[in-house]
Amino acid sequence: MIRSRVVGVGAYLPARVVDNDELACRLDTSDAWIRERTGITRRHLAAEDELTSDLAVQAARRALERASTSVAAIEAIVVATSTPDHTFPATATAVQQKLGAPIGIALDVQAVCAGFAYALAIADSFLRVGHARTALVIGAETFSRLLDWNDRSTAVLFGDGAGAVVLRAERSRGDLADRGVLATRLAADGRHYRDLYVDGGPSATRTTGHLRMNGREVFRHAVARLAESVEAVLAETGLAVADLDLLVPHQANLRIIEAVGRRLGLPPEKTIVTVDRHANTSAASIPLALDVALEDGRLADGRLLVVNALGGGFAWGAALIRW
Ligand code: ACO
């Protein structure tokens, strides 16, 4: 059988760092409130002339370098983003053009904060059915452009950034000890469309709009669905939470991450946390966290991990990976 293996990871964060105190200068908020409720201390914000595709390209170049893979080998580019450069064409085609990648599959995936889990599952399917042998899977966002900077309840939560992985199709005996993506699970529940949404769009308002959120509902569902998603993806293979070496969750809020860990009975040291320094970078948060875990040595060959995320829709998903 064919299995897709992650052979490289790359990350990019814009140069400008904004800490909580800087936000407190223009909003009725404080460093103490933001830290206590979210765990966030700072975020990176894109420069005026930096587009989502620019962030994506930087992350992709690093991932390709780590994978010792040339641009010429890329046969599919899947970009998870809710902040595309333009309404169309796909930001993936801008990335393709800027990288100088050859003709191949290129599409965007819109599943908001769950975007990377969806993009990974889609690219994994492409590889397993033979549509491509090497794929770039990117989460890239400039959420700062969607924020209402006068709304303290949302403006403090998000940051900009991009992360990328290179996936390569490899032959496998189908053994759970073999490296690669072992299982994926995706879901959505559109009854929550209005709990986390942007109040504009080309069809509804002909404007871009701003992010609106029912924070308490998001919190409640995030904890339940994220914990379920880990159990569901493990159940596909017969493995258990105790078998996991690492959980790399979407980074929205430290309290959500900790509550999911408690619900699963997972020791805190097995969960990667980057929300403190990156804030919520939506679809970019998981590959950014993978990059941090790789750099600090927690993501070593052979480790068993789950990546999982929930976002607007609500949409959620998880992937079980043998690194
Ligand atoms: N600074 C100071 N006070 C604030 C701020 C702020 N930045 N934001 C809200 N408040 C105030 C509110 O106005 C409210 O004041 P009131 O009591 O006078 O009305 C008070 O703080 C409490 O507000 P709540 O909304 O009840 O605060 P809560 O403890 O629920 O925390 C939060 C809010 C952090 C948004 C929380 O609900 C949360 O994390 N929800 C999940 C949202 C999330 O992570 N979204 C990301 C996108 S989805 C995803 O990625 C999973």
Side-chain angles (χ1 to χ4, degrees), residues 29 33 37 113 152-153 196 213 215-216 250 252-253 280 310:
T29 188
W33 193 97
R37 303 288 176 121
C113 298
R152 66 179 180 173
S153 69
L196 178 55
M213 181 180 75
R216 287 199 176 166
H250 168 52
N253 181 314
N280 182 346
L310 174 136

Side-chain angles (χ1 to χ4, degrees), residues 52 79-85 91 108-112 115 138-142 283:
T52 293
V79 175
T81 190
S82 300
T83 45
D85 290 4
T91 298
D108 288 0
V109 171
Q110 160 58 290
V112 210
I138 305 173
E141 302 277 20
T142 47

Side-chain angles (χ1 to χ4, degrees), residues 57 61 70-74 77 93-103:
V57 164
R61 286 208 177 106
S70 83
V71 168
I74 300 169
I77 302 175
T93 59
V95 171
Q96 186 185 30
Q97 181 236 323
K98 288 179 186 184
L99 281 176
I103 290 172

